[in-house]
Amino acid sequence: MKLGLLGDGQLGWMLAEAAQRLGIEVRLWSAAGTGTAVRLCPDHVVAPLDYAPAEAAGGPSAFDAFCSGLDVVTYELEHLSLGLVEALAKRVPVHPAPAVLALAQDRWLEKAALAAAGLEVAPHAPCADRKTLEEALRSVGYRALLKTRRDGYDGKGQWRLDSPEDFERLLGAEDAGHFRWPASGCVLERRLRFDRELSLVLTRDASGAFAAHPWTENRHEHGILYTSRAPVALPKAAAEETEARLKDWLDSHRYVGTLALECFEVDGRLVANEIAPRVHNSGHWTLDGARTSQFENHIRAVCGLGLGSAEARGLAAMVNVVGVPANPELLARIPGARLYDYAKAPRARRKLAHINLCADADAALTSALAALEALVPPPEPAQ
Ligand code: AMP
């Protein structure tokens, strides 16, 4: 079986590794031919991920060379051309389906889909200029986040507002040329006072079977994930209801593959923030802490191989290495710490690696995590 994989970053690297272990050949679509996944995949096509086949950017040969002989296609990121994914779907089965990718690419459509699925979302409103932002502020309030509808991630494309003065300052920057309304507009969202950030990573296959990994607690610093920990105790009814509604929604889309739902816990309720139709950073701990990793289950789902158990093997945590490389010699002092290095050049706020930890008892995990956090600094603020 031959799998086509769009994207060559660390998620692609871990997906390709899982596929190859299952005996599946992988052909990569790589934007520059230099990403983390390229080292595992000599069979790769180099062309931009915003490639539009109609315009033949990169040449129709890249598209044809990629499609030739593939059984199925998947992707490791949602910031790629929907046109490319739709064109591929006419030639080869693509999972997850382009319709869900389209929702995940647009915060406004995504929020509407989450609300329609019966999940609570933060009060929000669309805006695309001063007038519509003023209207949105009236319904959402001034303690808010202005987020671009498209292409925002890791805190990029987000502005924090606390007061009418912040609003004036931001739009003043517009006059000075520092702030520009994106063509697709923004969503203004109420900034919630949450107790915790949580995520659910689960996989559905074409037969309708699910494998849901245990809920994960996540800590972000300056918009970037710093640590994850799982399994965690949650308000039981809220977690079960959220999971059931998400599964119904995935059934209604005949979703195939892994998906992550990010939520805020607010006074015992779970408020949905966003979905990612792919494997997710908050599921990296599953490489060591679950019977089957999110990467293997995604490959199993899209290749029709049946899902493995998503049960936890004990307690696990993950720390992201962001901006500054980790020192493997120092890590050796922390028993069981496993480094996954993405072989990337260091750059401020760039994810360079992650480290997984496993333990049998809560206290042991807490102290190992504290030792690791002392060695691996949290992500820095954006400049
Ligand atoms: P996002 O790009 O939507 O995943 O946001 C990145 C991070 O910003 C989240 O992980 C939260 O830490 C924070 N954040 C996003 N939306 C909200 C919100 N409505 N209220 C409070 N914090 C938020």
Side-chain angles (χ1 to χ4, degrees):
M1 178 171 248
K2 193 174 260 189
L3 168 76
L5 177 55
L6 300 167
D8 64 7
Q10 63 267 23
L11 301 181
W13 174 53
M14 292 181 271
L15 284 168
E17 193 271 335
Q20 289 171 354
R21 239 180 339 96
L22 292 167
I24 294 161
E25 290 176 61
V26 180
R27 175 177 300 143
L28 213 61
W29 183 303
S30 163
T34 53
T36 308
V38 172
R39 57 180 155 157
L40 274 188
C41 303
D43 183 3
H44 59 265
V45 162
V46 180
L49 281 158
D50 57 0
Y51 173 98
E55 295 159 20
S61 56
F63 186 80
D64 290 334
F66 183 72
C67 291
S68 164
L70 291 184
D71 297 293
V72 63
V73 166
T74 191
Y75 44 89
E76 60 134 24
L77 74 177
E78 61 265 37
H79 299 294
L80 77 175
S81 149
L82 187 62
L84 169 61
V85 179
E86 285 171 339
L88 284 167
K90 292 192 182 127
R91 295 270 291 267
V92 187
V94 175
H95 299 304
V100 177
L101 176 64
L103 297 176
Q105 287 183 337
D106 183 320
R107 284 191 193 275
W108 173 244
L109 301 180
E110 180 183 40
K111 290 261 186 258
L114 292 170
L119 299 170
E120 181 178 347
V121 294
H124 63 282
C127 48
D129 53 26
R130 174 182 274 270
K131 184 168 168 291
T132 46
L133 177 56
E134 279 172 359
E135 281 163 20
L137 283 163
R138 275 197 285 279
S139 64
V140 171
Y142 277 94
R143 198 187 133 81
L145 282 169
L146 182 65
K147 301 181 179 179
T148 55
R149 268 177 74 160
R150 302 182 66 89
D151 299 328
Y153 64 98
D154 286 346
K156 282 186 199 146
Q158 273 189 29
W159 298 270
R160 196 183 143 115
L161 300 174
D162 274 298
S163 62
E165 292 74 42
D166 284 347
F167 161 72
E168 286 305 336
R169 212 172 295 130
L170 183 70
L171 294 197
E174 182 186 22
D175 297 337
H178 299 312
F179 175 77
R180 272 182 216 285
W181 285 97
S184 54
C186 291
V187 174
L188 185 77
E189 200 176 300
R190 183 170 301 165
R191 230 171 64 240
L192 303 173
R193 293 174 206 278
F194 56 79
D195 302 310
R196 290 188 292 179
E197 292 194 67
L198 300 159
S199 59
L200 177 62
V201 174
L202 79 181
T203 309
R204 181 184 184 277
D205 74 7
S207 75
F210 280 97
H213 283 102
W215 282 82
T216 303
E217 181 176 333
N218 302 308
R219 217 176 101 206
H220 291 79
E221 292 287 344
H222 305 294
I224 297 183
L225 182 65
Y226 179 34
T227 64
S228 294
R229 191 173 172 139
V232 283
L234 288 192
K236 198 164 177 284
E240 283 174 1
E241 196 175 308
T242 301
E243 190 170 327
R245 289 187 175 176
L246 182 63
K247 285 179 171 173
D248 286 348
W249 186 75
L250 293 170
D251 280 338
S252 72
H253 284 276
R254 296 205 176 86
Y255 189 89
V256 174
T258 295
L259 175 135
L261 170 72
E262 291 186 73
C263 291
F264 303 114
E265 184 182 339
V266 182
D267 299 331
R269 303 185 331 273
L270 294 176
V271 180
N273 180 32
E274 61 180 4
I275 49 166
R278 54 168 170 82
V279 288
H280 194 254
N281 196 169
S282 70
H284 287 6
W285 65 266
T286 63
L287 283 166
D288 296 292
R291 294 202 184 280
T292 313
S293 77
Q294 60 165 351
F295 304 99
E296 178 168 340
N297 263 349
H298 182 74
I299 298 295
R300 287 181 162 280
V302 304
C303 295
L305 302 178
L307 302 180
S309 162
E311 214 183 307
R313 289 179 203 246
L315 302 172
M318 185 229 50
V319 175
N320 263 345
V321 177
V322 183
V324 183
N327 180 338
E329 283 175 38
L330 292 179
L331 290 179
R333 292 186 201 156
I334 300 175
R338 290 194 66 187
L339 175 66
Y340 294 80
D341 192 302
Y342 310 151
K344 287 181 178 176
R347 198 199 300 147
R349 290 173 60 79
R350 189 179 209 196
K351 289 175 185 168
L352 303 176
H354 73 267
I355 301 157
N356 281 351
L357 282 174
C358 293
D360 296 329
D362 216 47
L365 189 68
T366 300
S367 70
L369 188 55
L372 198 48
E373 286 179 16
L375 293 180
V376 180
E380 291 184 342
Q383 288 308 309

